[in-house]
Amino acid sequence: MHPFQYERARNAKNAVSTVAQNPTATFIAGGTSHVDLMKENVHRPDLVVDISGLPLQSIGGHDGGIRIGANVSNTQVAYHPDIVARYPGLSEAILAGASAQIRNMATTAGNPLQRTRCPYFRDTTQACNKREPGTGCAALTGINRVHAIFGASEACVATHPSDMAVALSALDAIVQTRGPRGNRSIPFTDFHRLPGNMPQLDTVLQQGELITSIDLPAFSGRSHYLKARDRASYAFALVSCAIALEMNGGTIRRARIALGGVAHKPWRTPEAEAMLVGKTPSEVLFRDVARAAFAHAKPLEHNAYKVPLGQNLMVRALMETSGLLPLQGTPGTAFASSAGSVAGIIPLSA
Ligand SMILES: Cc1cc2nc3c(=O)[nH]c(=O)nc-3n(C[C@H](O)[C@H](O)[C@H](O)COP(=O)(O)OP(=O)(O)OC[C@H]3O[C@@H](n4cnc5c(N)ncnc54)[C@H](O)[C@@H]3O)c2cc1C
């Protein structure tokens, strides 16, 4: 491990200026992602500024929606009664990830900022433009089973790993930041980047820019999250799907769909979303929508399976969200009933 200095942030202003002035400094919150990467020599900061003591720990009403402080733990968000009642898809997404112990430490800002699980990024003996720009991408010609089918480039085919981020994208969340040049509100859909020729940059955050909260806009529809993975728990998404549906009687007034495990960022599907507007839910409609959503997928040598898997997952997520199928959820996660309360845990064998 690279030697580093450790400092506890006194306040947000001090944390921002310290990290902004030092290009090799980073923030640390729950530490569940960052410390692993430091131990593996993937991240080599000279200075680590611990922001876990900053008062960014509240969760409550804001502009008709909910504001979640950057340091609120993933567990607190997932079980918060207002989140469970009004944004059950977010609760399901968080509970589909990691383990209870990790979720207790992991934070609202740290989760969407976790880095890719591409094995070539985490192995310092392999070429990786994301870890070390200009060295190449070993995944392009390597074992690329878990990699991107949308939005990739010759420089990088990695996927974004967070489940929570996929639900935040479907809910059109807003990231609030405090940076060296002032405060910003960043729509979640613009927060993560596609790799292009600068895959080392995952997001639009600047050096020293601190997330202070993530805001959920007012939403009175139904939301839901499904995840397909190699094991029933403690595994990252091969493909996942978050849905947010607003109904007008028996027809769909507005639909938002985000896919996880398929791109360098949570992947929204605007054409597919538009196909749903004004329509009555049906399996035939949902199959057409899923076909359209994956029409421009560009699979690599080992991941063509993500296309049929993703289409089927999207159809099932839409069927469950619209009430055509009972809510089943992702095995091993708590799920919300249509009345909004956490209804139970689906057995791992389901
Ligand atoms: C074994 C294992 C299994 C996992 N499985 C899953 C899974 O299935 N699904 C899933 O989604 N996740 C999974 N995770 C990842 C886990 O969710 C993340 O490690 C966690 O959410 C990161 O949050 P943290 O607060 O610990 O972040 P940290 O490790 O503290 O930080 C992560 C990054 O965020 C930055 N950061 C933190 N807070 C701020 C802020 N306020 N402003 C600006 N930058 C900030 C840090 O500088 C760092 O770059 C798994 C992790 C492990 C170890």
Side-chain angles (χ1 to χ4, degrees), residues 26-36 43 51 56 70-71 74 93-94 96-99 102-103 105-115 117 161-165 205 209-212 227 229 234-237:
T26 54
F27 299 124
I28 195 165
T32 61
S33 170
H34 200 43
V35 172
D36 277 357
H43 281 185
I51 55 167
L56 304 170
N71 283 342
N74 286 182
I94 293 171
S99 65
I102 291 169
R103 294 192 297 264
M105 290 300 294
T107 61
T108 297
N111 188 317
L113 287 172
Q114 61 179 288
R115 304 211 70 195
R117 290 278 157 175
S162 160
D163 292 296
M164 181 183 187
L205 283 184
E209 192 168 2
L210 180 77
I211 296 180
T212 51
K227 171 175 177 179
R229 46 187 163 175
Y234 218 40
F236 289 86

Side-chain angles (χ1 to χ4, degrees), residues 15 81 146:
V146 299

Side-chain angles (χ1 to χ4, degrees), residues 23-92:
T24 65
T26 54
F27 299 124
I28 195 165
T32 61
S33 170
H34 200 43
V35 172
D36 277 357
L37 291 167
M38 288 169 66
K39 286 196 277 193
E40 288 163 6
N41 259 326
V42 174
H43 281 185
R44 299 163 60 84
D46 291 327
L47 171 65
V48 171
V49 176
D50 184 347
I51 55 167
S52 61
L54 295 181
L56 304 170
Q57 273 135 355
S58 64
I59 175 163
H62 177 77
D63 261 357
I66 294 183
R67 169 162 286 179
I68 308 169
N71 283 342
V72 178
S73 77
N74 286 182
T75 301
Q76 286 172 295
V77 177
Y79 290 110
H80 192 283
D82 291 340
I83 299 288
V84 173
R86 295 170 60 193
Y87 307 90
L90 177 59
S91 175
E92 292 168 324

Side-chain angles (χ1 to χ4, degrees), residues 11-334:
N11 52 52
K13 186 176 172 201
N14 157 263
V16 168
S17 67
T18 305
V19 175
Q21 281 162 28
N22 180 348
T24 65
T26 54
F27 299 124
I28 195 165
T32 61
S33 170
H34 200 43
V35 172
D36 277 357
L37 291 167
M38 288 169 66
K39 286 196 277 193
E40 288 163 6
N41 259 326
V42 174
H43 281 185
R44 299 163 60 84
D46 291 327
L47 171 65
V48 171
V49 176
D50 184 347
I51 55 167
S52 61
L54 295 181
L56 304 170
Q57 273 135 355
S58 64
I59 175 163
H62 177 77
D63 261 357
I66 294 183
R67 169 162 286 179
I68 308 169
N71 283 342
V72 178
S73 77
N74 286 182
T75 301
Q76 286 172 295
V77 177
Y79 290 110
H80 192 283
D82 291 340
I83 299 288
V84 173
R86 295 170 60 193
Y87 307 90
L90 177 59
S91 175
E92 292 168 324
I94 293 171
L95 294 172
S99 65
Q101 292 87 344
I102 291 169
R103 294 192 297 264
N104 287 343
M105 290 300 294
T107 61
T108 297
N111 188 317
L113 287 172
Q114 61 179 288
R115 304 211 70 195
T116 183
R117 290 278 157 175
C118 171
Y120 299 99
F121 170 73
R122 286 172 184 255
D123 180 346
T124 53
T125 65
Q126 299 286 335
C128 174
N129 289 318
K130 183 180 276 299
R131 176 173 25 81
E132 224 175 308
T135 55
C137 172
L140 258 184
T141 50
I143 306 294
N144 42 41
R145 177 177 172 270
V146 299
H147 292 76
I149 57 172
F150 291 113
S153 70
E154 284 290 304
C156 180
V157 293
T159 55
H160 182 70
S162 160
D163 292 296
M164 181 183 187
V166 181
L168 291 172
S169 175
L171 292 166
D172 278 337
I174 312 274
V175 181
Q176 304 292 352
T177 70
R178 175 180 185 141
R181 287 182 217 99
N183 298 344
R184 287 208 283 171
S185 298
I186 308 168
F188 202 82
T189 44
D190 299 337
F191 181 69
H192 291 95
R193 297 178 67 259
L194 288 179
N197 58 6
M198 289 204 288
Q200 69 274 23
L201 301 178
D202 290 346
T203 70
V204 298
L205 283 184
Q206 293 160 357
Q207 176 69 17
E209 192 168 2
L210 180 77
I211 296 180
T212 51
S213 70
I214 296 187
D215 296 349
L216 301 174
F219 174 69
S220 55
R222 306 171 188 174
S223 63
H224 189 37
Y225 184 77
L226 286 183
K227 171 175 177 179
R229 46 187 163 175
D230 281 330
R231 291 186 304 272
S233 85
Y234 218 40
F236 289 86
L238 298 170
V239 183
S240 68
C241 183
I243 308 278
L245 277 190
E246 288 163 88
M247 304 296 293
N248 192 0
T251 56
I252 298 167
R253 184 163 60 79
R254 187 170 176 218
R256 285 166 282 168
I257 306 173
L259 295 167
V262 295
H264 198 254
K265 61 185 285 186
W267 189 255
R268 283 286 292 269
T269 59
E271 297 91 0
E273 293 170 17
M275 284 172 69
L276 288 164
V277 176
K279 305 277 174 49
T280 305
S282 74
E283 184 171 350
V284 173
L285 170 67
F286 294 156
R287 292 218 169 270
D288 286 346
V289 165
R291 255 190 301 276
F294 285 82
H296 302 296
K298 290 203 172 74
L300 302 161
E301 186 182 353
H302 302 113
N303 67 4
Y305 74 94
K306 286 193 177 188
V307 174
L309 178 66
Q311 287 174 331
N312 286 331
L313 193 75
M314 185 183 284
V315 172
R316 184 172 141 193
L318 284 164
M319 299 276 284
E320 292 186 13
T321 314
S322 62
L324 293 183
L325 278 180
L327 276 180
Q328 291 289 312
T330 298
T333 69

